[in-house]
Amino acid sequence: QVQVVESGGGLVQPGGSLRLTCVAFESHLNIRRMGWFRQPPGKQRELVATISSHGVTNYEDSVKGRFTISRDTAKNTVYLQMNDLKPEDTAVYYCNAVTTYDSTLWGQGTQVTVSS
């Protein structure tokens, strides 16, 4: 199955920026869509943003205008550019991939902490 690996998390002050990177070790033809989810401390995992194989994007309301999901098809890579970070953005961020054979694969997670 598709291997998915994300990176780029860290500690940042409010108002700062981070870019998360997700690499799928599989042909993009085997992936319907990829996305980013996050799980804040003590809360349920929630959708952040997704991008389909056709380039259609979807964002959770609280990140619209601040986060941008993008892709580099040739590199099998998806990015999440996070600007104007807020303390409530603190979470473990997970990349996922929904495959053409109806599997959902998850990365190991990368911690994003927004704090002064």
Side-chain angles (χ1 to χ4, degrees), residues 7-25:
S7 61
L11 175 64
V12 65
Q13 294 184 8
S17 297
L18 286 172
R19 188 175 76 160
L20 306 183
T21 299
C22 176
V23 180
F25 295 95

Side-chain angles (χ1 to χ4, degrees), residues 16-57:
S17 297
L18 286 172
R19 188 175 76 160
L20 306 183
T21 299
C22 176
V23 180
F25 295 95
E26 180 60 270
S27 170
H28 73 278
L29 296 176
N30 293 332
I31 300 172
R32 291 182 181 177
R33 64 183 180 272
M34 295 183 68
W36 293 94
F37 287 68
R38 66 187 180 186
Q39 187 166 14
K43 295 185 178 181
Q44 192 175 48
R45 185 182 296 177
E46 64 184 16
L47 182 145
V48 178
T50 61
I51 185 165
S52 76
S53 61
H54 303 287
V56 178
T57 59

Side-chain angles (χ1 to χ4, degrees), residues 2-6 21-25 34 75-78 95:
V2 176
Q3 291 183 280
V4 179
V5 180
E6 68 267 73
T21 299
C22 176
V23 180
F25 295 95
M34 295 183 68
K75 295 181 178 180
N76 298 322
T77 301
V78 175
C95 183

